[in-house]
Amino acid sequence: MCNSGLFRTKRDMSEPASLIRSLDDLRRYVHRELCARENLLAEQFTMTEMPLVRKSRSCGIQFSLQGPRSVRLGAIWASDHNTIYFYDARGERYRKVQLQQRLLPDRQRAAA
């Protein structure tokens, strides 16, 4: 079987969730975890994000990663619970991570 360079041969150790202190840390963590789920090389696949809004207030971020062969992975950071929910290619939740340090969505950070 040929390895085209799109897949990881072994799982890298990613930073623990306890080290997430900013939205940029959150983005890096989610990207690495989604890639690790399907053994993808993080450098080969980009992640998109969309702010989640409830009653005109930012309440989190939805992350999506499009892999090869129509593989789509996702994660949602719910800012009110400060929790990340990870979803596999079937749309099933496979992991829930409670962050220790509270992060503020971009709009709330700008107002603070």
Side-chain angles (χ1 to χ4, degrees):
M1 183 170 195
C2 177
N3 184 348
S4 64
L6 297 178
F7 300 95
R8 295 159 22 124
T9 55
K10 62 181 182 178
R11 185 177 173 137
D12 297 331
M13 292 299 290
S14 62
E15 69 188 50
S18 62
L19 297 179
I20 298 173
R21 292 185 167 84
S22 70
L23 289 177
D24 285 336
D25 291 343
L26 174 67
R27 289 176 181 106
R28 282 189 295 272
Y29 177 76
V30 168
H31 186 244
R32 279 194 293 259
E33 289 298 317
L34 291 176
C35 287
R37 178 65 179 183
E38 293 292 327
N39 294 319
L40 304 175
L41 290 170
E43 313 80 50
Q44 297 286 329
F45 301 96
T46 59
M47 185 176 69
T48 59
E49 62 184 73
M50 181 174 44
L52 300 176
V53 179
R54 183 183 323 143
K55 296 182 181 178
S56 301
R57 294 194 61 191
S58 181
C59 63
I61 301 172
Q62 178 180 359
F63 299 96
S64 296
L65 187 135
Q66 184 71 42
R69 301 179 309 277
S70 299
V71 171
R72 185 168 182 227
L73 305 163
I76 293 178
W77 170 58
S79 61
D80 53 348
H81 298 288
N82 207 35
T83 302
I84 311 168
Y85 301 94
F86 290 92
Y87 298 89
D88 65 17
R90 294 182 307 253
E92 295 177 8
R93 188 171 84 192
Y94 69 89
R95 188 168 185 204
K96 177 181 170 182
V97 176
Q98 179 69 48
L99 300 179
Q100 295 176 359
Q101 183 167 338
R102 179 147 306 275
L103 304 176
L104 295 175
D106 287 330
R107 289 185 199 167
Q108 290 177 1
R109 183 178 296 272

